[in-house]
Amino acid sequence: MSEATDAHGMQVRDEFAHQADSFARSAGMSLAETLDAVVDLAPAAADARWVEVACGPGLIARALAPRVGSVLGVDLTPAMITKARSEAAAAGVENVDFALGNATALDIPDDTVDGAITRFSLHHIPAPVRVLEEMRRVVKPGGFVVVADHVTDEDGDAAAWHEQIERLRDPSHWTCLTPLRLAALGARVGLEADGEWVVPFEIDYDEWLGRGSGGPANAELIERLLGEAPATVESFVVRGEGDGRRLALRNSLYRWRVP
Ligand SMILES: C[S@@+](CC[C@H](N)C(=O)[O-])C[C@H]1O[C@@H](n2cnc3c(N)ncnc32)[C@H](O)[C@@H]1O
């Protein structure tokens, strides 16, 4: 299924049509160390075929391309697929391809790729377990499933506070998983845990706020919420002053093997 006919799918498409250019240009999203931390979890193999799920403008696909034989990026938002193709062409990366598609129903046969990877996508998707199921389904036995996402705190008050800000800033945000829940989803779909890492992720706060379609209109309310952070919050921290503020998110990486 490549059509986003449900209300949330339409919201995702609207949001990421809005963000296609700004996401592709975001310094924080393109930082080499952050991209490398994710793609280094894919073993280098010249004949390996990988799929990048919810690929956006293809930042991960292009970073992964030199390590493997080919990467197919799939995304629900047509504007992101257009952007991913033009960015790959401009960079002269030839072993990547991009297609419209839904992470919860991939148009890829069972057991046909060596690995599946996704970054910063699960928190936009109402049924993240379906995404992991699909990633597992398309990967051959012995292959890899790699997920990176910014997660929320296990503490309920901290998580609820965090979610308010995320949704005000980006109405396509669904919910951040906690580290325990994300690890449990992998086990639930029958994946074998193969490592878990936390990699520092910091971004310019004003750039992050302004990129979300709700950010500018809700800036004042978000500012008030920032002043009311529960003491237990660790996963979403704004530091610094004025124009130099930085947002630190907890960026959790997981690798699983397909049995
Ligand atoms: C925050 S962006 C991340 C882009 C890319 N993964 C990266 O980290 O550079 C989230 C992307 O997920 C896509 N997305 C959200 N829900 C999706 C779904 N159900 N199927 C496929 N893509 C989806 C959006 O269109 C958007 O491009």
Side-chain angles (χ1 to χ4, degrees), residues 12 16 23 52 54-56 75-77 80 101-103 119-120 125:
V12 164
F16 286 100
F23 194 96
E52 187 199 353
C55 62
D75 200 280
L76 195 64
T77 303
M80 281 297 198
N102 194 329
R119 178 183 78 153
F120 296 159
I125 299 179

Side-chain angles (χ1 to χ4, degrees), residues 105-136:
L106 294 171
D107 189 15
I108 298 173
D110 296 358
D111 301 343
T112 48
V113 297
D114 299 284
I117 193 164
T118 192
R119 178 183 78 153
F120 296 159
S121 65
L122 294 186
H123 62 270
H124 290 286
I125 299 179
V129 69
R130 295 282 92 81
V131 180
L132 290 182
E133 261 177 11
E134 282 294 271
M135 293 171 86
R136 183 204 156 146

Side-chain angles (χ1 to χ4, degrees), residues 45-51 68-72 108-109 112-116 140:
D47 58 350
R49 293 177 61 207
W50 278 69
V51 58
V68 298
S70 65
V71 186
L72 171 66
I108 298 173
T112 48
V113 297
D114 299 284
K140 299 172 191 167

Side-chain angles (χ1 to χ4, degrees), residues 229-246:
T232 47
V233 170
E234 292 177 356
S235 295
F236 181 101
V237 177
V238 178
R239 300 195 184 97
E241 305 272 321
D243 292 348
R245 284 195 290 181
R246 309 280 298 165

Side-chain angles (χ1 to χ4, degrees), residues 16-239:
F16 286 100
H18 174 79
Q19 288 197 36
D21 284 330
S22 55
F23 194 96
R25 283 199 315 272
S26 165
M29 290 299 169
S30 315
L31 200 65
E33 294 138 58
T34 315
L35 295 173
D36 288 349
V38 182
V39 302
D40 283 353
L41 299 181
D47 58 350
R49 293 177 61 207
W50 278 69
V51 58
E52 187 199 353
V53 174
C55 62
L59 295 167
I60 294 285
R62 294 201 305 281
L64 178 59
R67 300 176 67 81
V68 298
S70 65
V71 186
L72 171 66
V74 175
D75 200 280
L76 195 64
T77 303
M80 281 297 198
I81 293 299
T82 303
K83 177 60 74 178
R85 287 181 180 142
S86 65
E87 296 278 306
V93 181
E94 292 180 349
N95 59 338
V96 294
D97 199 2
F98 297 97
L100 202 57
N102 194 329
T104 61
L106 294 171
D107 189 15
I108 298 173
D110 296 358
D111 301 343
T112 48
V113 297
D114 299 284
I117 193 164
T118 192
R119 178 183 78 153
F120 296 159
S121 65
L122 294 186
H123 62 270
H124 290 286
I125 299 179
V129 69
R130 295 282 92 81
V131 180
L132 290 182
E133 261 177 11
E134 282 294 271
M135 293 171 86
R136 183 204 156 146
R137 179 183 67 74
V138 301
V139 173
K140 299 172 191 167
F144 295 89
V145 170
V146 173
V147 170
D149 204 2
H150 58 89
V151 293
T152 196
D153 291 294
E154 303 292 345
D155 175 76
D157 281 348
W161 171 86
H162 174 192
E163 294 299 327
Q164 296 174 92
I165 295 175
E166 294 276 9
R167 289 182 192 148
L168 285 166
R169 178 256 174 191
D170 172 353
S172 78
H173 179 94
W174 191 266
T175 196
C176 285
L177 296 166
T178 69
L180 290 177
R181 177 110 183 95
L182 186 38
L185 288 188
R188 162 114 61 102
V189 303
L191 290 164
E192 291 174 355
D194 191 37
E196 182 178 337
W197 300 264
V198 178
V199 173
F201 182 74
E202 270 201 15
I203 193 162
D204 180 272
Y205 174 77
D206 289 332
E207 187 274 320
W208 173 84
L209 184 70
R211 183 158 36 80
S213 67
N218 289 315
E220 209 172 300
L221 179 52
I222 292 173
E223 199 60 40
R224 274 177 49 203
L225 287 165
L226 288 179
E228 298 166 6
T232 47
V233 170
E234 292 177 356
S235 295
F236 181 101
V237 177
V238 178
R239 300 195 184 97

